Amino acid sequence: MKTIGVIGGGQLGLMIAEEAHRLGVRVVALDPAAEAPAFAVCDGRIVAAYDDAAALEELCRQCDAVTYEFENVPGEVLVPLAEKYNIPQGFEPLYDSQDRLREKENARAHGFDTPDYEAVDDEPGLRRAADRIGYPCVLKTRTLGYDGHGQAVLRSEADLEKALPLLAVPCILEAFVDFDYEVSLVMVADGERAVTFPVGRNVHRDGILDLCCVPAEGLAPELERRIRQTGERFMRECGYVGILAVELFVRGDRFFFNEMAPRPHNSGHWTIEGSTTNQFRELVRFLAGMPLEEPRLVAPTVMKNILGRDLEAAQALAAEGHEGVHVHIYGKRASRPLRKMGHVTFVGTDAAAYAARWAGRFEK
C-alpha cells in the first residue's frame, strides 16, 4: 500500500486523506497544531513547524510521495528535500506562487494576459508607479497575502497615504481590473496529460470566497475552452505537474490572470459531489502514480463557503438531510466569525435557485 505525505493538516489535508483512503492509499500529515483537522483521519501524524527541516525529512522518509496543502511552506526548505525524496510537484510552483511579482511575470511569459503591474518598494516608487499605471490601482504585498489581506485599493492620489504601511515589505502595484466576474480553473497534470475541471464562477464577500457556481453563469463555451487551453499551456510551459488552481478576472471576451495556488483550492470543493471525480482524488491519483480521470459535471452546482458566523446554520442544515445538499464541517476546534469552518455543496442547484431557496439560511 502506498503512503503519501501532506505538509499541512488543515481542511485540505483532511479532504486529501479522505480521498486517498477511498483509493487505498495511506496518508501521513505534518502540521504545527496537534488538533489539526487532517489528523482525525490520517494514518500518521507529525506535529512540527513547517520550517522544521528534520521533521520534514522524517515525513519524506515515511512516504512514497509528498505534497503540500499550505502555500506558505518555505520554498527554500523544500529544495534540498526535493533532491533526495519524491516530491512530485517539486518546489517550483510553490516558490513561484509565493511572490506576486514572480507569479505575474511567469503568467505573462506563458500565455496569460495580466493587469499592468510594477514592483514597488518605497513611497517614491509607489507614486511613480501610480502615475504610470493610473488610478484606480491595487497595492499588494508580494508575499503572504490571502483572503483580501495585504492589499489596498487606491482610487486617487488621496488614498496613497493610507496604503503606506503596506510598504513595510516589498509590494506590487497592479492596475485595477474592472471585471465582470471572477472564475477559477482547477487542473491536474501528470507530465503526459492534464485534466481540467469545469470553470466555476466565484462570488466574494468581504474579500473571502462566499460562493462558487458551476457552470459559470455568463461564461460562453468558447471562452471557457480558451481558458482551459491557456491553463494547460501555462502548466506545460512552466513544467508544472500535480494540481494547480488559477483565479481569473473575466471582462467581456477577455480573461486576466489574478493569482494561482499549487494545491487544492477552496473554489474547487464543489467537485466532491458536483463532478464525476474531484480535485482531491485526482491529486492523489497523480501522487500515487495512477492514471488521471477526466472530470465531468454531474449537475449544476453551488458551493457555499461556511465561515464561523454560519456554522450553526450549516449544522442545522446537515441535520435536516435534504437531497442534493452535502454539508462538510472541518472539525476545527475554535470557531471565529471569518474563519473557514466548512462548506455546503448544493447539487442540482444553480445560482438563481440557491438565492431563492437557500441564501436566506445564512448570515447576510
Side-chain angles (χ1 to χ4, degrees):
M1 179 181 290
K2 290 196 174 182
T3 301
I4 62 174
V6 183
I7 303 171
Q11 63 265 24
L12 302 181
L14 168 71
M15 289 181 275
I16 290 170
E18 289 173 340
E19 289 300 326
H21 289 160
R22 293 186 180 102
L23 292 170
V25 175
R26 296 178 71 256
V27 177
V28 179
L30 179 149
D31 195 277
E35 70 281 2
F39 288 161
V41 298
C42 283
D43 304 282
R45 67 171 69 184
I46 297 174
V47 180
Y50 296 125
D51 60 356
D52 185 329
L56 288 167
E57 183 145 6
E58 178 59 27
L59 176 71
C60 293
R61 277 198 296 264
Q62 292 185 27
C63 300
D64 298 297
V66 173
T67 190
Y68 29 78
E69 61 101 71
F70 178 66
E71 65 263 50
N72 289 327
V73 176
E76 61 273 12
V77 175
L78 290 186
V79 175
L81 293 173
E83 294 173 352
K84 294 174 59 178
Y85 300 100
N86 185 26
I87 305 178
Q89 287 179 264
F91 68 89
E92 291 89 353
L94 182 69
Y95 179 74
D96 290 343
S97 71
Q98 289 174 339
D99 184 322
R100 286 191 169 105
L101 178 62
R102 190 163 55 237
E103 191 179 53
K104 286 289 192 305
E105 290 174 340
N106 211 28
R108 184 176 285 184
H110 299 291
F112 279 111
D113 286 340
T114 71
D116 195 7
Y117 61 84
E118 188 170 323
V120 172
D121 297 316
D122 52 31
E123 182 177 353
L126 173 60
R127 292 185 179 277
R128 287 194 301 270
D131 286 343
R132 187 185 69 78
I133 291 173
Y135 297 96
C137 50
V138 186
L139 182 67
K140 301 178 180 181
T141 58
R142 283 173 53 176
T143 61
L144 300 179
Y146 66 96
D147 288 344
H149 298 286
Q151 58 184 270
V153 177
L154 311 179
R155 301 196 179 278
S156 69
E157 189 175 352
D159 291 331
L160 289 173
E161 195 70 29
K162 70 177 183 182
L164 293 181
L166 291 177
L167 293 173
V169 296
C171 288
I172 180 173
L173 188 71
E174 300 178 12
F176 183 88
V177 179
D178 187 17
F179 58 94
D180 300 325
Y181 51 91
E182 183 194 275
V183 298
S184 285
L185 173 66
V186 178
M187 305 169 283
V188 181
D190 62 8
E192 295 183 4
R193 64 185 292 240
V195 297
T196 59
F197 288 86
V199 175
R201 178 166 172 166
N202 299 331
V203 178
H204 287 81
R205 179 181 172 199
D206 301 326
I208 303 172
L209 182 69
D210 186 38
L211 303 174
C212 184
C213 306
V214 187
E217 183 182 358
L219 184 67
E222 171 60 18
L223 186 53
E224 177 166 3
R225 184 190 66 79
R226 285 170 45 212
I227 287 173
R228 291 195 190 203
Q229 284 187 336
T230 305
E232 291 179 15
R233 172 191 166 187
F234 177 68
M235 287 196 79
R236 183 174 61 253
E237 291 188 0
C238 291
Y240 294 161
V241 291
I243 192 165
L244 188 74
V246 180
E247 293 179 346
L248 302 162
F249 296 133
V250 177
R251 186 175 66 200
D253 64 353
R254 297 185 65 191
F255 51 92
F256 300 85
F257 180 99
N258 180 29
E259 60 186 26
M260 72 180 203
R263 55 164 175 78
H265 198 260
N266 196 176
S267 65
H269 294 351
W270 68 270
T271 61
I272 296 174
E273 290 89 17
S275 175
T276 52
T277 185
N278 64 68
Q279 62 172 344
F280 304 99
R281 187 180 305 162
E282 293 312 302
L283 174 58
V284 173
R285 287 182 191 276
F286 162 75
L287 294 168
M290 301 175 182
L292 301 180
E293 180 182 322
E294 190 71 41
R296 296 283 183 268
L297 183 66
V298 170
T301 300
V302 174
M303 189 280 294
K304 162 68 177 173
N305 213 19
I306 298 301
L307 306 182
R309 62 192 177 198
D310 285 319
L311 182 57
E312 289 186 6
Q315 291 169 330
L317 197 59
E320 294 168 13
H322 297 280
E323 183 178 358
V325 177
H326 306 271
V327 181
H328 297 256
I329 304 298
Y330 301 147
K332 296 179 180 179
R333 291 192 179 181
S335 176
R336 298 187 294 274
L338 298 181
R339 191 182 192 194
K340 294 173 184 174
M341 301 300 294
H343 71 271
V344 182
T345 306
F346 300 87
V347 180
T349 298
D350 61 15
Y354 170 82
R357 183 174 182 187
W358 301 112
R361 298 289 297 266
F362 304 107
E363 185 177 308
K364 294 181 174 58

